[in-house]
Each structure stands twice: as C-alpha cells, then as structure tokens.
C-alpha cells in the first residue's frame, strides 16, 4: 500500500520520491491526510489483490515444468526487484539481521548492475519466479543472487539457472557461486553443473 497518491504534500509543499520506485505498489491510497473511508476502501482493494495473488501463486507452483529461461532485460528489472524483496525479506529472520544489502538496493542500482552483469530469468505464465546474475572476473564466472520464489523452491530451478549461466559463458571457465552462509549449495548443484569446491563464511551485511 502507498499512503498517498501524490508526491507533493499539499500542506507543506515537500516533494518525496515515490516508494513505487523502490517497492512494487498494489494499491494507492489518495489524500493527505488520508480519510478513514479511503483507508477502508483501499484495504478492501488490497484484500482482492491478495486473493488474486494467492490464486496465481498456486497456479504457478503447479506449472514449474513449463518454466522458461532466458536473458533478462531492463524491462524485467521491476519484477526482479519485487522478487528480490520477497526472497530476502524471508531470509532476514534466519540470519537474525535487521536488513540485507539486497533489500536496500534501489531500482537505479539494479539497472546499473544489469549493465555490468548477465541476468538470467525463470518465467512461469509470464511471471518471473527466479533469477540469477553473473559476471566474469578473469577466468572465473562469479554467480550471485540466485533467487527463486518461495512457492517454487525445491523444484530444481536454482540448479537450472546455474546451468543456463554456464551455457552463456561456455566451457573453459571456473564458476564461483556466492551465497548466504546458511544456504544449501548441494541443493543447487546439478549432476553436470557447478560443484562446490570451497566454502567460506560471508557476512550477509558485507556480501
């Protein structure tokens, strides 16, 4: 929800950058200050959005065998940003951290990263449910931010994302996968994909 549909407060004249440049917004609540009836109407709208999203998520989980993989483009960044927020918001509790770098990343920062790295997306029914990004450092391909929607985990999508990255960069390269200290690298490794050769603890704040 967004509390006001305006970026300029009529009372004080201050201008704010819209939160929809950082987080996806489902319902806008007009007014400053917001009237009670507007809040009630927006909550009703939000419940409808939530119900539709739950329906879409269940349908998505049943269609993992129809997942499509391809290079992500600039137009995909808002969806990848939204997925990133969902995935890492859940990880905060397991890490015991107040925040993670991925949750503080802005859309501008993500687009700048796209210019430097290869992004692979996994799509079901037109919705991005997985993503990974990689860059080359000498003879090493550095892979990070391998994320999959919680509804679609345990479906082998992480492993397939790694395979897609390997196909992009070809043979003859070494692959280094960077992940949180509580991730499970064996869950990502396919029989013919990158294998874990070394692990080092990385703080989620500094990674």
């Amino acid at each position: 929800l967004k509390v006001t549909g305006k970026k300029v407060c009529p009372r004080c004249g201050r201008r704010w950058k819209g939160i929809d440049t950082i987080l996806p917004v489902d319902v806008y609540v007009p007014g400053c200050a917001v009237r009670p009836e507007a809040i009630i109407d927006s909550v009703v709208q939000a419940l409808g959005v939530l119900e539709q999203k739950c329906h879409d998520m269940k349908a998505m989980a049943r269609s993992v065998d129809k997942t499509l993989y391809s290079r992500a483009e600039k137009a995909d960044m808002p969806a990848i940003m939204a997925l990133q927020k969902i995935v890492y918001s859940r990880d905060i509790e397991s890490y015991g951290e107040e925040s993670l770098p991925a949750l503080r990343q802005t859309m501008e920062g993500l687009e700048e990263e796209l210019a430097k790295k290869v992004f692979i997306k996994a799509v079901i029914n037109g919705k991005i449910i997985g993503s990974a990004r990689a860059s080359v450092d000498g003879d090493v391909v550095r892979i990070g931010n391998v994320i999959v929607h919680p509804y679609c985990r345990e479906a082998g999508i992480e492993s397939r994302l790694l395979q897609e990255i390997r196909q992009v960069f070809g043979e003859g390269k070494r692959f280094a996968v960077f992940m949180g200290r509580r991730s499970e690298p064996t869950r990502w490794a396919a029989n013919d994909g990158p294998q874990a050769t070394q692990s080092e603890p990385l703080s989620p704040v500094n990674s």
Side-chain angles (χ1 to χ4, degrees), residues 163-178:
Q163 292 181 52
E164 293 292 326
I165 287 177
R166 189 178 68 164
Q167 291 179 14
V168 169
F169 290 97
E171 302 296 338
K173 296 282 187 181
R174 292 189 298 127
F175 294 84
V177 181
F178 293 82

Side-chain angles (χ1 to χ4, degrees), residues 105-166:
Q105 187 173 33
T106 63
M107 184 62 66
E108 291 81 358
L110 190 63
E111 291 177 352
E112 290 175 2
E113 195 173 356
L114 175 65
K116 302 174 183 177
K117 298 181 179 180
V118 170
F119 279 60
I120 299 295
K121 63 181 178 179
V123 181
I124 296 178
N125 297 333
K127 181 177 180 63
I128 295 178
I129 51 84
S131 175
R133 59 198 78 166
S135 60
V136 177
D137 183 7
D139 65 340
V140 177
V141 177
R142 300 165 64 90
I143 306 171
N145 299 92
V146 182
I147 54 176
V148 174
H149 195 282
Y151 272 79
C152 300
R153 287 179 175 174
E154 312 303 332
I157 293 175
E158 296 100 331
S159 176
R160 179 62 185 276
L161 286 167
L162 296 180
Q163 292 181 52
E164 293 292 326
I165 287 177
R166 189 178 68 164

Side-chain angles (χ1 to χ4, degrees), residues 4-152:
T4 178
K6 299 181 180 179
K7 295 183 180 180
V8 179
C9 178
R11 293 190 174 185
C12 62
R14 292 185 61 186
R15 179 181 294 271
W16 289 279
K17 191 173 184 178
I19 195 173
D20 51 6
T21 63
I22 302 173
L23 294 172
V25 175
D26 294 314
V27 179
Y28 290 85
V29 186
C32 181
V34 180
R35 297 179 63 82
E37 55 267 30
I39 295 177
I40 294 173
D41 181 64
S42 298
V43 169
V44 172
Q45 291 183 52
L47 289 173
V49 171
L50 178 60
E51 183 177 358
Q52 183 61 47
K53 284 190 174 186
C54 288
H55 177 273
D56 293 343
M57 291 298 104
K58 291 178 181 179
M60 182 178 68
R62 294 192 298 266
S63 304
V64 291
D65 58 328
K66 300 177 182 178
T67 306
L68 302 176
Y69 299 85
S70 62
R71 292 277 292 268
E73 302 175 349
K74 185 176 180 179
D76 298 315
M77 293 303 101
I80 291 178
M81 172 67 78
L83 176 64
Q84 182 169 296
K85 302 295 184 184
I86 291 172
V87 172
Y88 289 110
S89 292
R90 292 197 172 202
D91 288 346
I92 284 180
E93 294 183 5
S94 63
Y95 282 109
E97 303 285 346
E98 293 183 358
S99 183
L100 296 172
L103 291 175
R104 299 192 296 270
Q105 187 173 33
T106 63
M107 184 62 66
E108 291 81 358
L110 190 63
E111 291 177 352
E112 290 175 2
E113 195 173 356
L114 175 65
K116 302 174 183 177
K117 298 181 179 180
V118 170
F119 279 60
I120 299 295
K121 63 181 178 179
V123 181
I124 296 178
N125 297 333
K127 181 177 180 63
I128 295 178
I129 51 84
S131 175
R133 59 198 78 166
S135 60
V136 177
D137 183 7
D139 65 340
V140 177
V141 177
R142 300 165 64 90
I143 306 171
N145 299 92
V146 182
I147 54 176
V148 174
H149 195 282
Y151 272 79
C152 300

